[in-house]
Amino acid sequence: MLDRGKISAGQAGALMFTFLEGGVAVIVPASATSFAKQDGWLTIIFAALVGIVVVLLFTNLGLLFPKQSIIQYSEIILGKWFGKIVGLLYVLYTFYLGSLVIGGFRDYVTTTALPRTPPIVVSGPLLFVIAYAVWGGIETLGRVNQLILPFRELIVMLTIFLLVTEFKWDNLTPFMGQGIVPVMKGSISVASLPFGETILFAMLLPNISNIQKVKRYYIVAVVFGGMLLTIAVLISILVLGPAIAARLNYPTHEIIKYIEKLGFLTDMDILGVLIWITSGFMKIAICYYCTVVGLAQWCRLSDYRSIVIPVGILLFIFSIVAYGTIMDDAVFASTIWPFFSFPFVILFPLLMLIIAKIRRLGGRKQKG
């Protein structure tokens, strides 16, 4: 174990909840409503069920190898060479995901709050602060998240309360007006982003002190994360209508600004920025941490901290190179990403779990 820090199962669950919220509540409503219109909220429910399956897969697999991450036990299960390739693919997956999240964060801030600010000024300082947190280890990330989480959710609840009187319930009709097919298509997109991305937490299992309880906390995190995203989609539909919500890049940000039209509060869009900064910060930090720790494990380094800065520089560069326009990346996330992430989220973990069970790997023998 490169990072000897430990977090509780509860802290791990809280990290997963923040990871799911990680700014996706800002963009998921547009994706969900573009597929299923007024039934977009149903896509989150089906996608969350897929998220629970993903959690069950990697936790059952990880409990067989409680002192190793998916990078390490892939070699034990799949053999030295194929396992080494799969481990490297997971490192590249976390790196690529991290760069996309950084790009999404940068575009959100420059579009909604700082339109005249060069992108380097937004993502550069952010990555510097995140690198410092990653250097501190998983305990630092767990404690920072515990500190921020209550305040962020208070902002969310305040926003919902202020918008209740503006709900137009007719926007939810007709129920299942286009049938089940659009709902299922939207579910596939949302299942891969963000629920499938929870596969990253397979790398954190060795750092959880009461690992036997983590499955329950992860499932609770997926359920509550799914509820929050469902509420985000519902509010976007109820306030803006499905047609408008589907066209906007950041519908959740727009409904927060809508509060200003009620006349008694101003500059409400800062709430959206605060929610995105705090949740997006933790999501980038988890991607960053998993990348450096996974790479250190793959290279058999004694300390991951020696590569924190080089990987951070590469993340910064790649976030600029790989991230296109907002529209291009919205299409990529809804059409290509589900197929790209499927091997990492379902195929590899399921294959390894089946092989481990057949060969009777892990368990008591591995612990000893």
Side-chain angles (χ1 to χ4, degrees), residues 78-110:
L78 301 175
K80 181 179 179 181
W81 296 109
F82 187 54
K84 199 75 172 176
I85 293 172
V86 170
L88 178 60
L89 289 176
Y90 271 106
V91 173
L92 295 175
Y93 172 80
T94 58
F95 176 84
Y96 186 44
L97 177 60
S99 66
L100 292 180
V101 177
I102 295 167
F105 172 89
R106 181 184 63 242
D107 278 4
Y108 175 77
V109 173
T110 54

Side-chain angles (χ1 to χ4, degrees), residues 59-68 73 76-77 212 353 356-357 359-368:
T59 52
N60 283 326
L61 184 57
L63 287 172
L64 294 175
F65 306 89
K67 296 182 180 180
Q68 296 175 309
Y73 60 68
I76 299 174
I77 299 173
Q212 298 300 326
L353 183 60
K357 291 292 186 181
R359 296 178 59 191
R360 297 182 181 180
L361 298 173
R364 292 182 180 178
K365 181 180 178 181
Q366 187 64 33
K367 290 178 185 177

Side-chain angles (χ1 to χ4, degrees), residues 91-310:
V91 173
L92 295 175
Y93 172 80
T94 58
F95 176 84
Y96 186 44
L97 177 60
S99 66
L100 292 180
V101 177
I102 295 167
F105 172 89
R106 181 184 63 242
D107 278 4
Y108 175 77
V109 173
T110 54
T111 301
T112 61
L114 303 169
R116 297 182 181 179
T117 305
I120 190 174
V121 176
V122 176
S123 53
L126 173 73
L127 265 177
F128 180 80
V129 175
I130 292 176
Y132 182 76
V134 170
W135 187 283
I138 191 65
E139 284 188 13
T140 300
L141 297 181
R143 289 171 183 171
V144 169
N145 185 59
Q146 275 187 312
L147 179 66
I148 296 174
L149 183 61
F151 296 101
R152 186 176 62 246
E153 301 317 310
L154 279 175
I155 295 175
V156 172
M157 289 189 289
L158 173 64
T159 303
I160 295 172
F161 175 76
L162 292 173
L163 287 168
V164 167
T165 57
E166 301 302 308
F167 289 172
K168 303 176 184 67
W169 296 99
D170 290 343
N171 289 344
L172 294 176
T173 58
F175 179 71
M176 297 292 285
Q178 296 179 306
I180 191 67
V181 175
V183 175
M184 298 311 297
K185 287 182 178 179
S187 298
I188 293 173
S189 174
V190 179
S192 64
L193 190 160
F195 293 103
E197 297 168 343
T198 56
I199 190 65
L200 267 66
F201 285 77
M203 297 189 185
L204 304 184
L205 292 177
N207 298 99
I208 298 173
S209 55
N210 47 347
I211 192 172
Q212 298 300 326
K213 298 180 181 179
V214 75
K215 185 188 300 184
R216 179 177 63 196
Y217 280 100
Y218 278 169
I219 291 175
V220 169
V222 170
V223 170
F224 277 93
M227 289 173 58
L228 181 65
L229 292 177
T230 301
I231 291 171
V233 176
L234 272 172
I235 292 177
S236 298
I237 295 172
L238 289 170
V239 175
L240 302 173
I244 295 177
R247 290 199 303 267
L248 295 173
N249 293 321
Y250 308 113
T252 305
H253 182 83
E254 293 301 321
I255 63 174
I256 292 175
K257 288 180 63 177
Y258 189 87
I259 298 173
E260 296 181 18
K261 298 180 181 179
L262 302 181
F264 56 90
L265 290 172
T266 59
D267 297 324
M268 289 299 295
D269 55 336
I270 193 63
L271 292 182
V273 175
L274 284 173
I275 294 172
W276 181 210
I277 287 177
T278 54
S279 56
F281 176 95
M282 291 309 304
K283 184 165 185 175
I284 295 170
I286 291 168
C287 292
Y288 193 165
Y289 177 83
C290 289
T291 300
V292 293
V293 171
L295 181 59
Q297 290 171 344
W298 193 82
C299 296
R300 303 188 188 279
L301 302 179
S302 59
D303 189 0
Y304 76 92
R305 290 175 177 85
S306 61
I307 58 174
V308 168
I309 300 303

Side-chain angles (χ1 to χ4, degrees), residues 56-57 60-61 64 77 348-358:
L56 291 174
L57 272 177
N60 283 326
L61 184 57
L64 294 175
I77 299 173
F348 291 151
L350 180 60
L351 177 64
M352 284 191 281
L353 183 60
I354 292 173
I355 294 175
K357 291 292 186 181
I358 292 174

